[in-house]
Amino acid sequence: MPEEEIESAPTTADIPRRTDGLELLGRYQGVEYEDPVYLARRGDGQMVQLSFLLFLVIQETDGVRPTAEIAQRVGRAFGKDVSADNVRHLLEHRLQPLGIVAEPGAPTAVTSDAPRNDLLLGLMGRRTLVPPPAVRAAARALAWLHRPAVTATVLAAAVAMDLWLFLVHGAMPAVLHSLSSPLPLLTVFALIVGSLVFHEFGHASACHHAGATPGRIGCGLYLIWPSLYTDVTDVYRAGRAGRLRTDLGGVYFNVVYMLALLAGYAVTGHPVLLAAIYLGHFEIFEQLMPTARLDGYYILTDVAGVPDLYGRVGPLLRGLLPSRARGDRPAGPVPALTRRARITVTVWVFTLVPLMLADLGYGLWNLPRITATALRSLDARLHTATAATVGGHPASALVAALGVVLLALPFAGGGWLTVRLLRAVGRRLRPAGDALARSAAQYLVVRAKRERDQT
């Protein structure tokens, strides 16, 4: 009687599970990679780039199918034979380290040591200002402003506004008037804050216009300054044109806001509105700089078709070193770029790095003088705020208090940034320190054993 082959039932360890909150976004459209790239968003919001094969594996990983069945389904979609051992290898060595697949028997929550990009350049202490349902409702209501005919009309009106403001009327008298007394200065400050908030609705409405779904509007600390942000992660599903429209939506709404202020000036004739328009131009220029992670950076990434420019700095600079100096440590999964994208990234890196080093060197060289001046100014503002409060001048007291906050923020943010930098350096040096400690311990053990043998 022939023996029948009995298949053993798959164990729990052989049924892989995704981490909590994982969302598969599909193929990344309009990027300059030699091979297709697919996107997934972890439960902690971190975007992860995947190859087609890895995307298929995680797509079939549902917490029910065993690795053998996953291998069959992936092989049919991939067009090549894929074994269960292949799937296990990819799960253990590629997907688990990315934090999108849980280890066997471990909780499915995303762990704190899951890899994250540009932690020092990320937004800290995120808090929600406008919840997603309210943002989506506002985005739907404002999406008509992104129609081509409306956009062309707004831009033409903006050109006419600037010609009148800078060449005919003049902007500086309005600015000087606003700085002459506390109440106009507070009004300009409030208008600038309103412009920052309206800027975020520009991103959200452009995201909706591109066919994606915007998320929350929130705030956090970027480097050393408070900053607003809009969750437009879903726009990665769209093509390059939709992402560029979303990137530019913020500064476009700054222009819309300035035109609204101009209309208010036409009705009231109040120069404070012109001062806010003038200062709004600096906000636009700052946003368009492609250095920090502001709008200009994301515009450049989508024009170049490379979504992780800062992630390219290290590999590109390491690639210039001799192989012995680079070491054998892999830099991580970095998809290969097209020739056009490589040129763009190289030009950006060799422009950015000298500017950052020069800025850092200038700041360190002048740090004692800057600190002393800031402390003197902080002391003067505190005395002014106290005197204005005692004297019954609330507007002057509030202006002085705002000055105290604006002077104190760089110190607080700089201190926190230094702490984070030291922690990051400590994490990098910890493996070397552990290896040194093990070597020292081994040396002491060998020496003690040798002395004991001698005695």
Side-chain angles (χ1 to χ4, degrees):
M1 181 177 178
E3 295 182 354
E4 294 181 358
E5 184 177 349
I6 301 176
E7 294 185 0
S8 60
T11 63
T12 303
D14 202 38
I15 300 178
R17 300 160 300 152
R18 302 177 184 178
T19 52
D20 295 338
L22 182 70
E23 183 180 2
L24 302 181
L25 301 180
R27 183 171 177 176
Y28 199 164
Q29 302 292 334
V31 289
E32 295 287 337
Y33 289 147
E34 292 181 353
D35 298 316
V37 172
Y38 292 76
L39 290 175
R41 179 167 50 198
R42 284 197 322 235
D44 60 354
Q46 176 66 52
M47 299 292 293
V48 180
Q49 298 181 21
L50 302 170
S51 67
F52 181 45
L53 179 59
L54 291 176
F55 186 81
L56 290 175
V57 172
I58 192 62
Q59 189 176 44
E60 300 298 338
T61 300
D62 58 358
V64 177
R65 299 187 184 101
T67 52
E69 184 179 349
I70 293 174
Q72 293 176 359
R73 298 171 69 95
V74 169
R76 286 195 296 267
F78 193 59
K80 294 181 180 180
D81 290 335
V82 177
S83 68
D85 287 338
N86 295 147
V87 171
R88 293 189 190 96
H89 178 83
L90 294 175
L91 289 168
E92 181 179 356
H93 297 284
R94 300 295 299 277
L95 295 175
Q96 288 178 13
L98 292 175
I100 60 179
V101 170
E103 296 182 8
T108 54
V110 180
T111 59
S112 59
D113 59 349
R116 292 170 176 83
N117 293 332
D118 299 329
L119 290 179
L120 288 175
L121 298 172
L123 207 62
M124 301 180 294
R126 297 175 181 237
R127 295 293 183 272
T128 298
L129 291 180
V130 185
V135 173
R136 291 164 192 158
R140 286 193 297 270
L142 296 171
W144 65 273
L145 287 167
H146 297 278
R147 295 173 183 170
V150 178
T151 301
T153 303
V154 168
L155 295 180
V159 172
M161 174 187 67
D162 282 353
L163 290 175
W164 174 80
L165 180 62
F166 294 105
L167 299 182
V168 177
H169 182 275
M172 286 309 298
V175 175
L176 294 175
H177 174 270
S178 301
L179 297 175
S180 61
S181 58
L183 190 57
L185 187 60
L186 288 174
T187 305
V188 171
F189 181 79
L191 290 173
I192 293 299
V193 172
S195 174
L196 294 173
V197 175
F198 195 63
H199 173 102
E200 300 305 324
F201 283 103
H203 291 306
S205 56
C207 177
H208 175 80
H209 189 268
T213 303
R216 64 177 178 171
I217 291 177
C219 64
L221 188 67
Y222 180 71
L223 295 181
I224 61 174
W225 292 107
S227 181
L228 301 178
Y229 70 93
T230 305
D231 182 5
V232 291
T233 309
D234 197 59
V235 82
Y236 283 106
R237 302 176 188 266
R240 187 179 298 181
R243 292 199 301 273
L244 281 171
R245 185 182 291 111
T246 303
D247 298 336
L248 292 165
V251 294
Y252 171 61
F253 264 43
N254 286 136
V255 174
V256 174
Y257 188 85
M258 288 190 289
L259 290 174
L261 293 179
L262 184 65
Y265 174 78
V267 174
T268 64
H270 206 296
V272 167
L273 299 174
L274 292 186
I277 293 174
Y278 177 77
L279 296 175
H281 286 77
F282 290 96
E283 181 186 344
I284 291 176
F285 294 149
E286 180 186 17
Q287 285 287 342
L288 292 177
M289 293 296 292
T291 50
R293 280 200 159 194
L294 300 175
D295 292 354
Y297 169 80
Y298 292 103
I299 292 170
L300 180 61
T301 62
D302 286 321
V303 169
V306 184
D308 55 344
L309 285 176
Y310 276 113
R312 298 281 169 172
V313 175
L316 191 146
L317 294 179
R318 281 195 298 269
L320 301 176
L321 298 174
S323 57
R324 183 175 300 176
R326 286 200 302 267
D328 298 327
R329 183 179 60 85
V334 181
L337 302 176
T338 64
R339 182 176 181 275
R340 171 180 171 275
R342 285 198 300 271
I343 293 174
T344 303
V345 172
T346 302
V347 171
W348 179 79
V349 168
F350 283 101
T351 303
L352 171 74
V353 172
L355 285 175
M356 292 182 69
L357 292 176
D359 186 56
L360 178 63
Y362 177 83
L364 293 176
W365 179 263
N366 293 281
L367 184 61
R369 182 169 58 88
I370 294 173
T371 302
T373 303
L375 290 175
R376 285 196 300 269
S377 180
L378 184 63
D379 183 65
R381 295 295 177 90
L382 285 171
H383 282 87
T384 302
T386 303
T389 302
V390 174
H393 302 288
S396 299
L398 187 55
V399 169
L402 286 174
V404 170
V405 171
L406 292 177
L407 283 170
L409 275 175
F411 286 98
W416 178 236
L417 186 64
T418 302
V419 170
R420 297 179 70 207
L421 179 61
L422 292 175
R423 286 179 178 175
V425 172
R427 285 194 298 269
R428 292 293 182 90
L429 295 179
R430 188 178 302 164
D434 293 343
L436 182 62
R438 286 194 299 269
S439 299
Q442 291 173 358
Y443 169 76
L444 292 175
V445 169
V446 170
R447 183 174 177 179
K449 183 179 179 181
R450 185 180 302 168
E451 291 178 353
R452 184 187 62 189
D453 293 341
Q454 289 176 352
T455 57

